[in-house]
Amino acid sequence: MDWVQWQERVQNTAFLQPLIGMGVPHVKAEAECIYFSFTSKSSGSKKTLMISGSRGELQEMLDGHYRLSDLIKQKKVNFSGTYREQLKLESLLFLCKKNS
């Protein structure tokens, strides 16, 4: 997935602004991990969430074939963060998935 394009889509989608109130997410993919960083506009603090798993499972999730929460329940991917952050990230991934 083209992460620069995904970041721009998130930033330019008006109905996502309440969801990303902390600012524009930055994404970095390395091997079998994807890092999502959010910076708070008010405090300037940075929060990084990580999803790790096999490349195939991650790609299926990013393409919208599987939900993040389902893959976590099946123990096919690992997620670092709170449940609220998981729901927020899952919403962003769903709303900004690439069109098939």
Side-chain angles (χ1 to χ4, degrees), residues 14 16 35-36 42-44 48-49 57 62 70 72 76-77 95:
L16 291 178
Y35 300 92
F36 294 86
S42 58
S43 67
T48 301
L49 309 175
E57 297 292 343
L62 297 174
D70 291 339
I72 292 171
K76 292 184 177 182
V77 299
L95 293 170

Side-chain angles (χ1 to χ4, degrees), residues 27-72:
V27 184
K28 180 179 169 185
E30 290 181 355
E32 295 185 341
C33 294
I34 303 172
Y35 300 92
F36 294 86
S37 299
F38 297 89
T39 304
S40 173
K41 290 179 183 175
S42 58
S43 67
S45 63
K46 188 176 185 178
K47 176 70 177 178
T48 301
L49 309 175
M50 180 189 72
I51 303 172
S52 63
S54 72
R55 284 181 171 231
E57 297 292 343
L58 292 174
Q59 190 60 48
E60 290 288 321
M61 178 193 64
L62 297 174
D63 290 342
H65 300 290
Y66 295 106
R67 291 181 23 209
L68 174 60
S69 57
D70 291 339
L71 292 175
I72 292 171

